[in-house]
Amino acid sequence: GLVHSLPRRLIGTSTRTRQPGERRDACVESELRTDDSIPAFLACADAVISTQGVVVPGAIPNKIYEAMAAGLPILMVSDGEASDRVLNAGAGLVSTPDDRQATLANFLRLATDAALRNQLGSAGRRAAETHYSRSRIADQLHQFLTDRLTDQ
């Protein structure tokens, strides 16, 4: 069905930025994405769809953080920690993999409500800047190690 085919159709890259007034789907090409192409790919997107077939404790898909950093709303189809992060950040809409109706409803909400996309994308960007930046994570790791390795 439509929902299951969306992630495959959304995988692609763009070698250029979108021009003002240009449809976002005009930027997406058929080649597979690589790490260095992610910023250009995200610049062409209105939202990011993330699905997790198998939830591994502690494993969070990088695309969640990339979407937040890009200020894009997330349609998360999963349960577990990844979904909790999206919800806690206010960065997207979440449904479980077995709830196809909720997934479709969330997809349609994001597709038709620009104000909601902007609200969720802005919240995700704030979360990326305040909680998930590399410098903040490095500082937290440094403090964690210092607390445990310093003579007491």
Side-chain angles (χ1 to χ4, degrees):
L2 173 66
V3 173
H4 290 293
S5 66
L6 282 172
R8 283 187 219 98
R9 285 194 282 162
L10 289 175
I11 295 173
T13 63
S14 176
T15 56
R16 61 184 175 78
T17 57
R18 184 170 55 98
Q19 300 302 310
E22 182 180 22
R23 288 175 40 143
R24 289 182 184 266
D25 59 354
C27 295
V28 178
E29 299 171 2
S30 61
E31 55 192 89
L32 292 176
R33 70 177 172 88
T34 60
D35 286 345
D36 61 340
S37 68
I38 290 172
F41 178 69
L42 292 175
C44 291
D46 289 313
V48 170
I49 298 172
S50 180
T51 61
Q52 280 187 294
V54 176
V55 176
V56 178
I60 309 295
N62 285 343
K63 70 182 98 179
I64 290 174
Y65 302 118
E66 294 162 349
M68 287 182 187
L72 293 171
I74 301 165
L75 173 59
M76 187 75 204
V77 183
S78 181
D79 45 21
E81 189 175 354
S83 294
D84 292 343
R85 295 236 177 142
V86 171
L87 287 174
N88 291 339
L93 304 177
V94 174
S95 62
T96 59
D98 60 338
D99 192 344
R100 296 175 72 162
Q101 294 291 48
T103 300
L104 179 59
N106 286 343
F107 175 81
L108 293 173
R109 282 183 67 200
L110 284 179
T112 60
D113 191 339
L116 177 63
R117 288 193 307 272
N118 290 334
Q119 174 189 344
L120 297 171
S122 294
R125 177 64 187 191
R126 280 190 303 280
E129 291 172 345
T130 59
H131 300 295
Y132 302 121
S133 71
R134 289 183 190 266
S135 62
R136 179 174 168 119
I137 292 169
D139 290 345
Q140 289 172 334
L141 177 60
H142 180 265
Q143 189 61 51
F144 174 82
L145 293 173
T146 300
D147 290 348
R148 276 138 190 93
L149 300 175
T150 303
D151 290 338
Q152 298 196 25

